[in-house]
Amino acid sequence: MKFIVDLTMGRLAKWLRIAGYDTVFYNSANPDKLIEIASKEGRMILTRNSGFIKKKKKTFEEKGIPFLLLTSDRVEDQLKGVAANFKLNLKGNPFTLCIDCNKPLVKISKEDVAGKVPEFVYQNYNKFVQCSNCKKIFWGGTHKERMEGIIKAVIEN
Ligand SMILES: [Zn+2]
């Protein structure tokens, strides 16, 4: 399942990526282009802009694009709403997408990260992945801790 979020929800985009859901952050105000991307790439539209939904509801229905209007400005509540609405498994596929650019992470050997991550990390972790796009390196701790924080926040509230 893939998503596109509008300007108002950059944090939600990151959280969905951490959970392994391909999410485009659409940081422009052109609604027609957003709809075009959603339609072409099969993405669900997530927005907090009720005027946008009101105006474009007919277009969404004609094009068969699922959408969800979120009302909360808290990212925990937003994620909870999305998970409930689309029946997401937030623990299903973490550690697969770059938090920053939504591109696939690929395995990288421990030898190859020497000198590129903090010494403490190098000593304490054995599994590393790298973004195929921005080349940022992630390790067990980065996604896992954030993931656990998210799940906790979503379940507890
Ligand atoms: Zn990246």
Side-chain angles (χ1 to χ4, degrees):
M1 198 171 296
K2 298 190 286 186
F3 298 97
I4 183 163
V5 308
D6 67 13
L7 270 178
T8 58
M9 293 192 297
R11 283 188 70 206
L12 179 65
K14 285 184 191 261
W15 283 34
L16 283 166
R17 287 171 190 162
I18 290 171
Y21 289 97
D22 178 340
T23 305
V24 165
F25 174 52
Y26 183 73
N27 60 352
S28 152
N30 179 349
D32 293 325
K33 183 82 181 145
L34 188 152
I35 294 168
E36 192 190 311
I37 296 170
S39 174
K40 215 169 79 187
E41 300 180 4
R43 297 182 180 277
M44 324 286 157
I45 294 176
L46 307 176
T47 182
R48 286 176 56 213
N49 183 343
S50 58
F52 173 53
I53 295 284
K54 215 179 224 172
K55 225 159 78 188
K56 298 291 182 183
K57 200 169 175 187
K58 230 177 144 213
T59 312
F60 296 158
E61 282 164 1
E62 279 165 11
K63 291 181 183 270
I65 304 170
F67 61 91
L68 180 64
L69 176 67
L70 295 160
T71 49
S72 175
D73 58 2
R74 294 185 65 232
V75 69
E76 292 88 350
D77 294 338
Q78 293 168 359
L79 188 68
K80 198 175 181 183
V82 177
N85 192 76
F86 295 103
K87 309 215 174 344
L88 304 187
N89 176 8
L90 296 178
K91 288 180 182 170
N93 205 21
F95 212 29
T96 51
L97 290 173
C98 179
I99 296 169
D100 295 322
C101 52
N102 196 41
K103 292 287 186 280
L105 298 174
V106 291
K107 282 195 184 119
I108 176 170
S109 72
K110 185 158 174 147
E111 296 77 62
D112 285 342
V113 302
K116 295 178 186 160
V117 296
E119 186 58 25
F120 169 82
V121 169
Y122 188 77
Q123 296 300 334
N124 286 280
Y125 292 92
N126 292 311
K127 285 184 182 160
F128 298 89
V129 287
Q130 186 173 36
C131 174
S132 53
N133 182 53
C134 72
K135 305 297 175 199
K136 199 165 172 179
I137 296 166
F138 298 93
W139 51 92
T142 48
H143 273 62
K144 206 167 157 265
E145 279 156 27
R146 289 201 210 197
M147 206 47 234
E148 280 161 3
I150 289 169
I151 304 274
K152 207 164 161 253
V154 169
I155 290 169
E156 277 176 6
N157 84 69

